[in-house]
Amino acid sequence: ALGRLEEIGCPAGPIYDAADMLQDPHFNARGMFEDIETSTGLRFKIPAMVPKLSATPGGTIWAGPQVGAHTRQVLEEDLGFGPGEVDRLLSVGAVGADGG
């Protein structure tokens, strides 16, 4: 379909999903992704800062807290669960927490 549109002079291009963007040489050459590492050693690519500014290019300096680091806080402070309820949810594996 893109070939036919090109033949008739209609501007068109592919519609990418995230996997397509990660594989595209142009996106990678432009530095549109950056590699990060979590505190547990997991490495992966995330979208880089845009727009690209020469004087202040930006970048990710922290991947964020460990998954589950705020489980107790959210359940108690935001959702109103009592400490006993949270302990029970943790003990049966209904929720997870890392580091308390």
Side-chain angles (χ1 to χ4, degrees):
L2 289 176
R4 178 65 183 125
L5 291 170
E6 185 177 336
E7 287 174 10
I8 63 172
C10 179
I15 297 175
Y16 280 175
D17 62 17
D20 295 327
M21 288 184 269
L22 281 166
Q23 298 300 317
D24 187 284
H26 181 78
F27 276 74
N28 285 285
R30 297 278 300 137
M32 300 307 292
F33 301 99
E34 62 180 301
D35 293 310
I36 64 164
E37 185 173 345
T38 68
S39 59
T40 60
L42 177 66
R43 296 183 57 84
F44 57 97
K45 288 185 181 284
I46 63 169
M49 300 293 162
V50 289
K52 298 283 185 199
L53 305 174
S54 58
T56 55
T60 302
I61 56 173
W62 181 53
Q66 290 181 308
V67 173
H70 298 100
T71 298
R72 182 174 292 278
Q73 178 184 357
V74 169
L75 290 173
E76 290 179 0
E77 296 177 16
D78 298 329
L79 299 177
F81 287 84
E85 293 172 290
V86 174
D87 290 338
R88 185 182 63 76
L89 291 171
L90 288 165
S91 71
V92 299
V95 297
D98 190 33

